[in-house]
Amino acid sequence: GHIVHNWKVRWFVLLQDKLLYYKLEGGKKESSPKGRILLDGCTITCPCLEYENRPLLIKLKTKTNTDYFLECCSREERDSWALDITGAIHAGHPVQVQELHRMKNSFKLLENISLHHIVDKMRDSSTGIKLTLNVEQGNRYKETFTGSSLVDWLISNSFAVSRFEAVTLASMLMEENFTKPVGARSTGATRYSDLSEQFLDDSTALYMFAETSKKMLSSKEELQFNISELSGTIVKQGYLVKQGHKRKNWKVRKFVLRADPAFLHYYDPTKEENRPVGGFSLRGCLVSALEDNGVPAGVKGNVQGNLFKIITKKDVHYYIQASSKAERTQWIEAIKPLT
């Protein structure tokens, strides 16, 4: 409410240029709207974290600087409303609407992502993630946060544009030992083989900052690359998602395609040093797109589509996901002449 800042149940109807809300009497909405929010010139914030105890908010600021706080019943419903309202706000600009839906449904993390930077922001006392006391199965856990609150925080701070991207980022934070699961719910999920299922976008799954903020590789684990491999001309580079060989989980990697000599190397975007974590010669390789209807043998976990496979001369199989079919086609067409 605007005068008395209390919370009331209202029935909302989204039209092309306005959002109407109605009072409910006896479980039915009244015939005339109680009020309306004109969407022209509106800005939307979702998730809105201004109310610590209300994580399901959407904030609308009108052209006249009036703030509306709308609380939904679930995160899924909140995100669905936010997407539709944003579409209505930009209804006169169909290109923007198409771009919005593409961003929400594609996978594209920030170009120069730094987990150290994200953790520093998370730890900020004023704008960072809120650490609270949580109870699970009778056990008390201090200075923790829930999985869904971390996902909301990552989106609201523009580190991700969709929940899938935010879950991937949160999984990377856990994988790199910046955060750790606590309690039965979240630690139980880490037994899954797929990375995308290890972090839970859930209000009952608890996490906290890990004491050690960086995993160190022993000298035996460090990969050595011949300088000649990295001397070729860069043909194409960009972020893709690659399935691991041992744990079969999915990780974001920056791929660099080189010619003369023809090699494909991939880098960990969370590492500050500019050295590959893997790579292989393209001579004698086979590359092909995998159809989206059905997951082929050898592929595990949450496959988003746009998958392609590279088989090396030594019969090593690499499964890689692109953000779109067009991007997948571009990578395949760039790799094929070098095989």
Side-chain angles (χ1 to χ4, degrees):
H2 289 293
I3 300 173
V4 180
H5 289 179
N6 52 8
W7 296 87
K8 296 178 180 178
V9 177
R10 293 288 182 256
W11 180 268
F12 279 81
V13 176
L14 176 62
L15 302 179
Q16 186 172 2
D17 60 345
K18 64 179 73 73
L19 192 60
L20 305 179
Y21 53 94
Y22 298 77
K23 288 181 67 174
L24 290 172
E25 291 292 340
K28 295 182 180 181
K29 74 179 181 70
E30 293 184 344
S31 57
S32 300
K34 173 73 174 175
R36 66 192 68 209
I37 304 170
L38 298 178
L39 298 177
D40 179 43
C42 261
T43 57
I44 183 170
T45 304
C46 179
C48 170
L49 305 183
E50 291 189 28
Y51 288 82
E52 187 175 333
N53 296 324
R54 294 183 180 272
L56 304 179
L57 289 185
I58 296 171
K59 177 182 177 181
L60 286 175
K61 181 183 283 291
T62 68
K63 191 161 58 174
T64 57
N65 289 324
T66 302
D67 290 340
Y68 290 87
F69 293 93
L70 316 178
E71 184 173 35
C72 300
C73 299
S74 68
R75 280 178 167 79
E76 293 76 16
E77 188 178 72
R78 179 198 65 187
D79 293 346
S80 176
W81 271 98
L83 189 63
D84 289 337
I85 291 171
T86 307
I89 291 172
H90 298 299
H93 308 278
V95 174
Q96 286 182 264
V97 178
Q98 291 173 8
E99 178 68 11
L100 171 75
H101 283 270
R102 188 197 66 77
M103 287 175 63
K104 289 289 182 183
N105 295 300
S106 69
F107 189 95
K108 189 175 183 181
L109 289 173
L110 297 173
E111 287 291 320
N112 299 310
I113 188 169
S114 167
L115 294 190
H116 291 277
H117 174 65
I118 293 175
V119 173
D120 287 343
K121 289 286 188 181
M122 286 175 63
R123 289 183 177 274
D124 188 282
S125 58
S126 58
T127 59
I129 192 163
K130 303 300 180 185
L131 303 180
T132 59
L133 171 67
N134 286 283
V135 179
E136 183 192 53
Q137 297 181 356
N139 296 315
R140 294 160 64 87
Y141 300 98
K142 294 181 179 179
E143 295 190 332
T144 56
F145 48 87
T146 66
S148 54
S149 66
L150 176 54
V151 170
D152 284 348
W153 185 89
L154 290 169
I155 296 172
S156 68
N157 284 271
S158 302
F159 290 115
V161 299
S162 68
R163 300 197 79 79
F164 176 69
E165 286 186 13
V167 167
T168 304
L169 261 183
S171 301
M172 292 166 66
L173 289 169
M174 190 170 65
E175 181 81 359
E176 297 300 322
N177 209 27
F178 288 103
T179 61
K180 65 180 181 181
V182 290
R185 181 86 170 90
S186 57
T187 53
T190 60
R191 299 188 181 97
Y192 289 110
S193 60
D194 174 38
L195 182 65
S196 67
E197 296 175 354
Q198 289 182 10
F199 180 87
L200 299 177
D201 179 8
D202 194 295
S203 59
T204 63
L206 303 180
Y207 299 87
M208 66 187 305
F209 290 113
E211 292 180 1
T212 54
S213 63
K214 194 172 184 181
K215 292 198 297 186
M216 301 301 293
L217 287 175
S218 68
S219 58
K220 292 182 179 179
E221 291 176 308
E222 290 185 0
L223 294 171
Q224 300 296 327
F225 290 92
N226 191 313
I227 294 178
S228 64
E229 291 185 22
L230 306 174
S231 64
T233 304
I234 295 178
V235 176
K236 185 174 177 61
Q237 57 183 320
Y239 289 90
L240 299 166
V241 188
K242 171 187 164 294
Q243 181 178 260
H245 290 293
K246 293 180 180 179
R247 296 178 63 192
K248 305 297 183 184
N249 51 13
W250 292 92
K251 293 184 178 180
V252 177
R253 292 292 180 252
K254 180 182 178 181
F255 279 79
V256 178
L257 177 63
R258 292 182 173 91
D260 301 321
F263 275 84
L264 184 62
H265 292 100
Y266 48 94
Y267 298 73
D268 186 343
T270 69
K271 304 297 183 184
E272 294 180 357
E273 63 270 17
N274 189 29
R275 56 180 300 147
V277 295
F280 50 90
S281 170
L282 289 174
R283 188 174 296 276
C285 282
L286 296 174
V287 57
S288 60
L290 297 176
E291 294 303 322
D292 295 338
N293 52 343
V295 178
V299 175
K300 293 185 177 181
N302 187 12
V303 179
Q304 299 295 309
N306 308 314
L307 195 68
F308 65 99
K309 177 172 70 172
I310 301 175
I311 305 175
T312 69
K313 194 174 182 179
K314 296 180 180 179
D315 199 34
V316 179
H317 293 226
Y318 289 86
Y319 294 99
I320 302 168
Q321 295 185 57
S323 65
S324 65
K325 287 187 177 181
E327 186 182 42
R328 177 177 67 179
T329 300
Q330 291 169 8
W331 273 99
I332 292 174
E333 290 179 351
I335 292 170
K336 272 187 176 179
L338 303 177
T339 59

